[in-house]
Amino acid sequence: MSKYWKEYQKEIAEDNYFYVRSCIRQNFFPGAENLFIDILRNKLGKKVFEDADHTTCTGIGYHSDIVPLETTMTVVARQFALMKEKEYKNLAVSCVTSFGLYSEILDMWKHKPELKEKIAGYLSEATGRSFEVPENMVHASDILYKFRNEIAAIAKHKLVNRHTGEPLKIVDHIGCHYAKTFPERGVGGSEFPQVLTGLINAWGGQTVDYPERRHCCGFGFRNYLVQENRGYSISQSKIKLESMQPFEPDLMVANCPGCAMFLDRWQYTLEESEGTVYGAGGLKIPVVTHEELAGIVLGYDPWQIGLQTHQVPVEVLLDKIGIDYDPELKYADLKGNLIGDPQMINEHAC
Amino acid sequence: MLKENKHTSSNPFRIAVIGAGPAGIAAAVSAAAMGVEVDWFDKEQRPGGKLNDYHQLFPDREFADQILKDFSGKTEAIEIKKHFGTIVSSIEKVDGNYNLLSNKGIKGSYNAVIIAAGFDFFDARLKEEYGYGMYDHVITSPDLEKMLKTGQEKLKCNGSFPEAMAFVHCVGSRDQQIGINYCSRLCCITGIKQAIEIRELFPSCKVYNFYIDMRAFGSGYEELYRQAQEKYNVQFIRGRVSEASENQQKRIVLKAEDTLMSRPVKVTVDWLVLLVGMVPSCTMVDVENFSCTDQETGFYKQSNPLSGGGLSGQPGIFNAGACGGPMSIPEALASGRSAAMEVWQYLIKR
Amino acid sequence: MAGKDFGFATKAGRQIDLDQLDTTLADKIALAVNSWRACISCGSCTATCPAGVKFHLQLPTLNRAFQLGTDFCLELPTLNRAFQLGTASCLELATLKSCLLCGKCQLVCPRGIPTRYVSIQIMQKFKSNSHVAKGIPSV
């Protein structure tokens, strides 16, 4: 029997996470994952383990019809084997594509145990490893959701416009593979997801439920990998941007690598190609990830956590919240040496 | 008023009728008219069941209040012992007769029992994508019925009368997502009737009915459908709404496909009315040990609908009305009378 | 402004926006033939229509397009808009030209719609708009 949104509450492990990174997130917003680990270890006192042997989940290759399903399953089984070897039972996944893929594989194995046995055979043959499925598997944003009030208690900033005293209007965007395939694996299900609105509300912001809130960002996989196909991808982001425009959001938060990337980069593309911007006052709308949002309220230095890697400048947002930052150091390395501003390249880079 | 009482010592039959909606009214009145002593139970304090909340009935648009008045004329004219405000929870068989267990203790002993426990409306919150319970302007057909009954002022949006309204057919019917495969039969005609009422009340209001199949099965239903199209210009769009969301003005934005045009459509309405189906009543009497319910639908089943009305398969237990499946009021009345006749046959053969 | 070319561009939508619904034309036809609104898209007419079998004449689709105020073959202007602008060169009207007025559609219509008369009405409504008279047969 189906459930309604309030009943979609999942079990999120309290501590001892085996953390698996995303391949593309480390390129798109390199600070976010380190920030997540730092918050968990040093602000919340949790045990997080990262394994140097962990690899890609093959999600993008799989969704682009390059990697066959059984190969993908064997790779995923290997990640589970690493976790078993280090005696961890709680898997914390950074990437929504990986999270969706793991969920799908676990579901397939549940319905076809013989398939799981077959993959166990492949893994053993190829690596000599054996695996167990995680006892608890969550997305990184679930963990922040679980500890949202603890984070609020030690936060240095609130998601409030210091000039007006009004809460910031924040759009949440949940990656499709977080809950659309398995609503019971997402906090709040897929139609009224709570996982990010929970953070926004707990940290003083105001959520914006705009008509195209549930619409896919257009990332797809095949839809952006080939340049000629990107029209399909950007058209979907445009639908979302047009729909949220009248609400004049101050910020977008996304828990998925592709969504955070494209809702950010496509705004630049649309401005260049169509001359349109969707934020208030002729500005684009800043986009951050769930970890970055936590980092902002916890008072991390914006440039230390990599906020300068977003295409839409975040300074407007930082000014609204009242966060001190040194504009000179935006493009400095961790030691404070200036490494030069990004340059426009002539090739189509987006 | 002089009460008719045919009960004599030569005719010492005693039965219980559970439920005082249309089927229960017909069963109780018919059985009493045949000289059977009737104990009549209902969880509410007054008879009529859901009819008390209706405004006008399809297809002839009689006022529900008038029908209720006619019914009470019949029930007052004959001796029936009323036990209103009584919630019957289960039935037990003792020495070939039946006792009823209720919140007011054990009642008995009865030679036979007619269960006319009625139905519940489908809980529309389970179809999350329509936002019932989330958005103020998403209502169900029984909600609208109550609003129509209490006056059109209730239908004002932002201070003015609605400019557009939409009805969604088959909410909680014919839907694998919620595990309900059957057709609730009456929702189509309810939607047609309510659409006409809206067009009469607000002639400038556009009305869209989103249907997957129009099932106007009853006498006079098809004629009303045609009237809705021709005379009232209700737009019937073949396609199921797959998402409702709210815009800044708190109006509801719908996404559907006009499958006859093979094109997706979008429309903004002041009210979205969900034509909810019928499900077994949550206060259905526990007769599990008599295996009276249909495994798949949860409604009471008839052992052999061709040999007689309301036979449960358990001697002495009969059912009538919509507790046996979706049914119109005339059908429920006929079903109640039919069950009374079967009870009589059963009693005299005992 | 000529925007930067990235080698791809956003796509025009194909969603019909009912909020923009303009039924002026449908209302005009319905005034002449009220039963026209009772069409249930059963397709009886198209199945035996000489122009439907050989060309594109599909009265139910035409009916839906009118009811929704949409021109399903032209992406941008709606049918009503096309009518007002006198630019109706769209598929529907082109196909109506192929109507032989044989009357078979009317014979098989379960809703009793005088479909032959509907065709004539639509053609006349368009013909009365002088810009679009070209190519529409006299009836």
Side-chain angles (χ1 to χ4, degrees), chain A residues 125-145:
Chain A
E125 205 177 309
T127 67
R129 295 176 196 268
S130 67
F131 72 94
E132 273 167 21
V133 298
E135 266 179 23
N136 183 263
M137 186 181 77
V138 297
H139 183 253
S141 57
D142 293 328
I143 297 175
L144 292 178
Y145 176 81

Side-chain angles (χ1 to χ4, degrees), chain C residues 115-135:
Chain C
T115 44
R116 194 166 170 265
Y117 184 55
V118 168
S119 298
I120 294 169
Q121 278 297 315
I122 295 173
M123 287 189 269
Q124 278 184 347
K125 292 282 182 295
F126 270 86
K127 204 179 173 195
S128 65
N129 186 331
S130 61
H131 301 290
V132 291
K134 264 184 276 173

Side-chain angles (χ1 to χ4, degrees), chain A residues 245 248-249 267 277-285:
Chain A
Q245 186 175 23
E248 303 193 332
Q267 287 191 71
V277 289
Y278 295 94
L283 295 169
K284 298 191 282 294
I285 308 164

